[in-house]
Amino acid sequence: MNSSWPRRGLYAITPDEADTARLLARTASVLDAGAAWLQYRNKPADAALRRDQALALLPLCRARGVPLIVNDDWRLAAQIGADGAHLGEDDGELAAARAALGPAAILGASCYDDIALARAAAAGGASYVAFGAFFPSPTKPRARRAAPELLVQAGPLGLPRVAIGGITPDNARSLVRAGADLVAVISGVFDAPDPAAAVRAYLSSFEDPAHE
């Protein structure tokens, strides 16, 4: 993984937005407020729209020094020259994605509630491991629930640990204290009345969590 990219902070994930111009405007405000990473995710979109939107987001991220990571589809990430991809358990092999994207790419793996999946992902070339949902999530209401202890258990892997699922500014600090390096958020930022203020609230979770 490119050593110049931040390893801590807010990992913003785009909402299901069909209007590309509106997606760009919404995302720009989130990036300008200080999001460290951006994941492009649009589950209902067809392949053409996903490609168009990912391509449109790329210069937005480049201008701000924020890596763009494509959800689920490492082939799309490779085609557009994105900075990485995030794979769930049904999205293909990490080794194939790593070979296509190269050694510097960010390659994330969903590990849900299972430390064994995280260990396998680390051995398979993942750049980070993601656990969750830690709290009830409006995006995935039936998602498996993860315990904060997983973040502690994953520490020896030496990879950034991402927490996802129902995370708010109020509960994020407990996850950071447990070892989360990044907190991944969709609705908590993009559906907030003031997305930029929401980003700043999440970032405050990383301020001296050990002394809270």
Side-chain angles (χ1 to χ4, degrees):
M1 190 171 80
N2 188 324
S3 60
S4 68
W5 287 322
R7 293 169 65 97
R8 286 172 64 79
L10 179 70
Y11 187 177
I13 302 177
T14 61
D16 294 337
E17 173 61 74
D19 184 327
T20 300
R22 186 165 184 264
L23 174 65
L24 294 177
R26 296 173 73 187
T27 302
S29 68
V30 169
L31 298 184
D32 289 340
W37 293 4
L38 181 74
Q39 182 182 128
Y40 170 63
R41 179 185 188 274
N42 192 342
K43 293 289 190 179
D46 60 24
L49 180 58
R50 285 198 302 271
R51 187 175 191 278
D52 288 347
Q53 290 188 334
L55 275 171
L57 287 168
L58 196 55
L60 200 70
C61 290
R62 289 278 191 270
R64 293 159 175 80
V66 174
L68 176 64
I69 299 159
V70 176
N71 177 263
D72 289 353
D73 191 344
W74 63 260
R75 291 175 178 83
L76 175 57
Q79 287 168 9
I80 69 166
D83 299 298
H86 180 91
L87 303 184
E89 59 188 342
D90 300 318
D91 298 327
E93 293 294 327
L94 285 170
R98 175 59 72 199
L101 296 173
I106 297 176
L107 185 57
S110 291
C111 302
Y112 309 102
D113 59 349
D114 192 341
I115 190 63
L117 288 177
R119 291 173 180 140
S127 306
Y128 71 84
V129 290
F131 297 102
F134 285 96
F135 305 101
S137 168
T139 303
K140 291 187 175 182
R142 290 184 292 276
R144 285 173 258 178
R145 292 291 294 275
E149 289 75 16
L150 282 168
L151 297 166
V152 178
Q153 294 170 14
L157 297 176
L159 300 177
R161 292 157 287 178
V162 175
I164 191 170
I167 301 174
T168 68
D170 291 332
N171 62 35
R173 193 176 293 274
S174 65
L175 299 176
V176 173
R177 189 183 302 117
D181 299 291
L182 295 117
V183 292
V185 180
I186 304 175
S187 58
V189 167
F190 284 96
D191 291 346
D194 184 340
V199 171
R200 293 191 290 270
Y202 280 104
L203 293 179
S204 71
S205 302
F206 291 88
E207 297 171 0
D208 297 321
H211 299 99
E212 178 67 14

